[in-house]
């Protein structure tokens, strides 16, 4: 698989696992010291990313039974050796089983690192709009 395709796959898997799937698999897509910046908050490290995902699922805002979908649309990837940047548009859909609507949308600016276990997300900056 090309680096470009592998990186796009990491971003796609993150979106899919946020809505359904195993949270250990989800956090395994991040580097140990990964950082997540978004309006209203920041998380650092896999343990905190896992805790945040568990909290969102407990609140019912995402995860199995929440009828939500994170959708990645336009995406551009630039690879420079063992580092890469992915810029993507995203949409967050709610009520997907009854009356689907977009609740949020924006951009992901992701910095990824090549590891011995493949590409991992090192830093995600989320913006709305």
């Amino acid at each position: 698989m090309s680096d470009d395709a592998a990186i796009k796959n990491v971003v796609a898997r993150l979106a899919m696992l946020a809505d359904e799937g195993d949270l250990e698999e989800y956090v395994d897509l991040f580097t140990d010291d990964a950082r997540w910046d978004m309006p209203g908050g920041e998380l650092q490290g896999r343990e905190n990313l896992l805790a945040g995902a568990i909290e969102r699922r407990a609140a019912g805002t995402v995860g199995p039974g929440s009828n939500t979908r994170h959708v990645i649309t336009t995406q551009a990837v630039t690879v420079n050796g063992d580092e890469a940047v992915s810029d993507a548009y995203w949409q967050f859909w709610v009520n997907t089983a009854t009356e689907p609507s977009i609740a949020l949308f924006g951009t992901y600016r992701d910095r990824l690192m090549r590891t011995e276990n493949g590409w991992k997300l090192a830093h995600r900056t989320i913006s709305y709009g």
Side-chain angles (χ1 to χ4, degrees), residues 1-69:
M1 179 182 303
S2 71
D3 288 335
D4 183 78
I7 290 162
K8 287 179 178 179
N9 193 50
V10 169
V11 174
R13 293 294 300 151
L14 284 165
M16 295 172 79
L17 289 166
D19 297 319
E20 303 279 340
D22 182 70
L23 289 180
E24 291 296 331
E25 184 180 350
Y26 173 79
V27 297
D28 190 49
L29 294 170
F30 293 92
T31 61
D32 290 337
D33 61 346
R35 194 167 114 207
W36 175 298
D37 295 319
M38 64 182 297
E42 174 186 313
L43 294 172
Q44 177 101 30
R46 272 191 189 167
E47 287 182 21
N48 290 325
L49 291 165
L50 178 59
I54 290 169
E55 182 179 310
R56 289 188 298 278
R57 283 196 174 179
T61 57
V62 297
S66 66
N67 298 312
T68 61
R69 291 291 179 260

Side-chain angles (χ1 to χ4, degrees), residues 102-129:
I102 296 176
L104 294 167
F105 60 90
T107 59
Y108 292 142
R109 172 110 190 176
D110 294 332
R111 188 173 55 82
L112 298 99
M113 305 294 292
R114 185 192 318 266
T115 73
E116 61 186 30
N117 296 314
W119 288 96
K120 304 283 183 181
L121 186 68
H123 186 194
R124 169 167 277 180
T125 303
I126 301 171
S127 56
Y128 299 141

